[in-house]
Amino acid sequence: MTELPIPPIPQEKETEKNKLEAELNADLSAKRSEAQAALAGQEWTEKHERENKTKTLKTESDGLVQKLAGISKEKEALEFDWIELDNQRRAIRTILNPLLDEEKKIEAEENNLESEEAKIGLANDKQVVEKKRWATQDKRKEIEQKKWNEEEKLAKIEATIQTNTTKYRTLLDEEEKIEKRLEQAKLELSNLEVK
């Protein structure tokens, strides 16, 4: 007599079987806990539950303290980044301000030359003023290019500062939630110790 191969259990049936086993195990675990409580008595059961709750709260508190330490380090790194970025921002502004002043002077000079050129009637005289105006325009373009480069650097720094500010505020919110939960856990622990 030859043995017939056992057909594989379809995936869905296997999943249903696992769910059923999990439910049976959970039910058995609940009944076992009930039996332990009944056999040990109420006083021992309450003491045991208090000890378990105390362990759980202490473990949670330790984890919260570690999270707070991590947040503190992240905040510190963002603070040092801000100091560095602010120093860079100040340096760029010290470069940018004289460029802006120079640009205004050159624009005023260019406007004066344009006015002077408009008043002149002779072509030869106009040509001299036009050459001066062109030289002034070239200076202005050079200054504008430098200004744009510095403004671009400044914009990047400002964007980084804004991103870091958002991260920092998120960390502050998270820190506040953790501190509240830590205080709550400490209160629960002190209530358990009183009993």
Side-chain angles (χ1 to χ4, degrees):
M1 196 156 120
T2 60
E3 287 186 40
L4 294 173
I6 300 173
I9 299 173
Q11 184 70 24
E12 291 174 8
K13 297 231 183 215
E14 187 68 29
T15 304
E16 287 178 29
K17 180 182 172 188
N18 290 343
K19 284 182 185 177
L20 185 59
E21 285 178 7
E23 287 174 12
L24 289 174
N25 287 338
D27 189 41
L28 182 61
S29 178
K31 287 194 184 269
R32 190 165 173 232
S33 293
E34 184 181 336
Q36 287 173 347
L39 291 169
Q42 184 178 357
E43 186 178 315
W44 185 88
T45 302
E46 287 175 357
K47 178 185 170 199
H48 185 68
E49 286 175 355
R50 229 181 0 265
E51 287 171 356
N52 284 341
K53 182 73 173 170
T54 300
K55 285 179 190 176
T56 302
L57 286 170
K58 285 183 178 179
T59 301
E60 181 185 3
S61 294
D62 291 345
L64 293 172
V65 168
Q66 287 177 352
K67 283 183 181 180
L68 284 174
I71 287 173
S72 181
K73 285 180 182 179
E74 287 182 64
K75 283 174 36 185
E76 184 179 27
L78 289 170
E79 291 162 359
F80 284 127
D81 282 350
W82 186 90
I83 291 169
E84 178 61 31
L85 291 168
D86 188 55
N87 288 340
Q88 291 175 13
R89 180 171 50 183
R90 289 173 193 259
I92 289 172
R93 286 183 179 154
T94 58
I95 293 169
L96 193 57
N97 287 337
L99 290 174
L100 294 172
D101 292 342
E102 184 67 23
E103 183 183 35
K104 286 178 186 176
K105 288 178 189 175
I106 290 174
E107 285 174 351
E109 186 180 331
E110 189 177 348
N111 288 336
N112 288 339
L113 289 171
E114 285 175 356
S115 298
E116 187 179 327
E117 184 181 355
K119 293 176 186 176
I120 296 175
L122 298 172
N124 285 344
D125 293 338
K126 269 191 178 188
Q127 207 172 44
V128 171
V129 174
E130 272 183 2
K131 286 180 183 178
K132 286 182 183 178
R133 186 173 52 84
W134 292 340
T136 304
Q137 285 175 339
D138 289 342
K139 277 194 230 174
R140 182 177 49 83
K141 287 177 185 175
E142 184 181 320
I143 295 286
E144 283 177 343
Q145 189 61 48
K146 288 178 184 177
K147 177 187 84 168
W148 294 335
N149 289 339
E150 296 304 316
E151 285 176 339
E152 187 177 321
K153 289 178 195 174
L154 189 60
K156 286 179 183 177
I157 289 171
E158 293 291 346
T160 303
I161 287 174
Q162 185 58 44
T163 300
N164 287 354
T165 299
T166 303
K167 287 179 188 176
Y168 193 85
R169 290 178 183 167
T170 301
L171 289 172
L172 287 174
D173 291 341
E174 189 177 339
E175 182 179 49
E176 183 178 31
K177 287 177 188 175
I178 290 172
E179 286 173 344
K180 284 180 182 177
R181 177 57 195 137
L182 188 58
E183 285 301 314
Q184 184 181 6
K186 285 180 181 179
L187 181 62
E188 289 178 34
L189 272 172
S190 67
N191 288 340
L192 284 173
E193 291 170 359
V194 169
K195 290 183 180 179

